[in-house]
Amino acid sequence: MTFRRSTLAMAILGLLENGPLHPYGIQRLIKQWGKDQVVNVGQRTSLYRMIVRLEEAGLIAAGATERDERYPERTVYHLTDAGREVCREWLSEILTTPRNEFPEFPAGLSFVMLLPPETAGELLARRRELLTRRIAELRRELEATVDGQPIPRFALLETEYQVAVTVAEAEWIDGVLRELRSGTLTWKPGPV
């Protein structure tokens, strides 16, 4: 069975590398380790559906059922050899192959000419303010500790990347705003 790669599936397989977990434990680690910033977990039902699909594909397997008087029964899942192999393949593909992921912002920019330049400038200035806040949040995450210990750098590489990309976007917007203010970038609003 061919399984379509997704960041949620890879996160589940990756977390199970450390040992068996129940779905709630997987969800808790995704949040605790900040992986929810780069993996769209969605609602809890999305996680459970993905676990079922991974199990049906033979990439993970159900193990024991844990019992705790405070919680309902929880099935613990572990990574299969096939799941480990698929996770490594996906990781290799993701790290080596640039992909156009069609984010919304560039799509919006492609139709900016529908707005007056002044309005576009106001909207981009607002985005720039939000980016400034996001950069500060990300930098705080880089300085976070767990149990008083700094988080190892290898566990924060995605956050470092997000800082770099967000800073680059903010600098690009600064340049566009300068050009809009000086009048070197302008257009007549309306249909193309």
Side-chain angles (χ1 to χ4, degrees):
M1 170 188 213
T2 304
F3 196 93
R4 187 168 173 251
R5 181 178 81 204
S6 77
T7 55
L8 179 56
M10 191 179 73
I12 293 167
L13 297 176
L15 289 172
L16 290 177
E17 280 275 352
N18 295 318
L21 289 167
H22 49 76
Y24 176 75
I26 293 169
Q27 182 181 31
R28 186 175 44 85
L29 283 178
I30 287 173
K31 179 75 174 153
Q32 182 180 354
W33 292 359
K35 304 305 181 197
D36 58 332
Q37 299 295 312
V38 293
V39 174
N40 185 6
V41 179
Q43 298 178 355
R44 187 175 293 177
T45 54
S46 301
L47 177 72
Y48 284 96
R49 270 184 276 167
M50 183 60 73
I51 287 171
V52 168
R53 290 182 53 227
L54 288 167
E55 184 179 21
E56 288 172 351
L59 302 178
I60 65 174
T65 301
E66 290 183 351
R67 295 180 187 273
D68 183 328
E69 62 271 358
R70 296 175 296 169
Y71 303 104
E73 284 186 354
R74 294 179 175 173
T75 302
V76 175
Y77 293 88
H78 65 271
L79 190 61
T80 64
D81 289 340
R84 185 171 284 106
E85 185 178 323
V86 164
C87 185
R88 296 286 192 283
E89 287 173 18
W90 290 349
L91 190 54
S92 295
E93 291 169 11
I94 289 169
L95 291 177
T96 59
T97 311
R99 235 179 92 195
N100 190 357
E101 298 178 15
F102 302 106
E104 286 184 340
F105 182 55
L109 289 171
S110 71
F111 290 98
V112 73
M113 81 293 291
L114 299 175
L115 301 171
E118 304 78 31
T119 303
E122 291 167 11
L123 296 173
L124 288 173
R126 232 183 290 162
R127 182 179 184 93
R128 178 60 171 93
E129 289 172 21
L130 294 173
L131 289 173
T132 300
R133 288 187 208 146
R134 181 70 180 135
I135 292 165
E137 290 169 9
L138 290 167
R139 287 185 171 149
R140 280 193 298 276
E141 286 179 31
L142 289 173
E143 296 168 2
T145 59
V146 174
D147 299 327
Q149 298 297 314
I151 299 170
R153 183 168 179 234
F154 66 82
L156 295 170
L157 289 176
E158 76 274 10
T159 307
E160 285 183 12
Y161 172 78
Q162 288 178 296
V163 169
V165 168
T166 309
V167 166
E169 180 181 330
E171 290 173 355
W172 180 82
I173 288 175
D174 288 342
V176 170
L177 289 173
R178 277 192 301 276
E179 291 182 53
L180 284 169
R181 289 181 190 121
S182 71
T184 57
L185 174 63
T186 191
W187 59 86
K188 292 190 187 294
V192 186

